[in-house]
Amino acid sequence: MWSGSILFIGGVIIMTEEPTIFGKIKDKLIGKKQEWAEQGRGLTGETAAPEQRLPPGQHLVKDWPVLDLGIQPEVRKTSYTLTLDGAVAHPIVLTWAELMALPQSEQVSDMHCVTTWSRYDNKWQGISAEVILALVQPKPECRHVIFHSYDDYTTNVRLEQFAQPDVMLAHSWNGAPISREHGGPLRGMIPKFYLWKSAKWLKRMEFVTEDHPGFWETRGYNNNADPWTEERYS
Ligand SMILES: Nc1nc2c(c(=O)[nH]1)N[C@H]1C(S)=C(S)[C@@H](COP(=O)(O)O)O[C@H]1N2
Ligand SMILES: [Mo]
């Protein structure tokens, strides 16, 4: 029986004879993080008020670590599409040019990764959640937003978490296009929740009535992910 791998990256199908090296690294990384979730790694048992800028158990970094599933898909702006669909009045598929023609905005925010690093004062440019919501108009029964990425990653938030004024679909970070490793050309940015809720290489946003826990949420991470109450794991 054929036990190889089929990779679908950036519109190209790659078939290999064996589980790929990417597959092996990926399984190792995922296993390690799942183990940490089971052990409750990083938990301090403290909570902090949101006025305290650094959430409990976090430490500040100046660089910007890269975390992914072992694959960083190459997503080209020339063939890029973002699908917005589900429980909305106006489902739409946007090209890169159409995204850039939407009202653009800028936000400075902090990011907090469950692996305990935080990074302050990141300047994001892109399209605000408010603009996306005005465009698609979620139906009254819509409760959740599921992000789907070009590396098959998924993550879920409640509609009101997405609707916060600091939430963006970001294409630029500190004045330059977001690099491929950090999820360019477009990533979600939901600064008040742990960073796994901010999907890189964004492909589709599905507006839904029933919740669908995403990649990490089904592997031991918390469904809500508030750093100030240390909602790291489930
Ligand atoms: N598409 C995609 N988005 C993703 C991930 C991923 O593997 N694939 N990892 C998540 C996790 S666990 C973290 S901590 C952040 C890391 O973002 P960074 O690499 O830009 O720091 O991206 C999140 N978004
Ligand atoms: Mo993460």
Side-chain angles (χ1 to χ4, degrees), residues 64 109-113 117-119 122 124 173 189 191 195:
W64 185 8
S109 59
D110 302 341
M111 52 183 155
H112 308 290
C113 176
W117 59 266
S118 293
R119 192 184 187 288
N122 303 282
W124 303 104
W173 173 79
M189 184 43 59
L195 198 57

Side-chain angles (χ1 to χ4, degrees), residues 64-69 149 151 153 182 187 198 200-201:
W64 185 8
V66 173
L67 290 103
D68 54 50
L69 303 177
S149 298
D151 62 344
Y153 184 80
H182 284 300
R187 73 174 297 164
S198 295
K200 313 204 289 190
W201 312 292

Side-chain angles (χ1 to χ4, degrees), residues 33 67 113-115 196 216 221:
K33 288 174 94 175
L67 290 103
C113 176
V114 71
T115 62
W196 83 78
W216 286 118
Y221 283 26

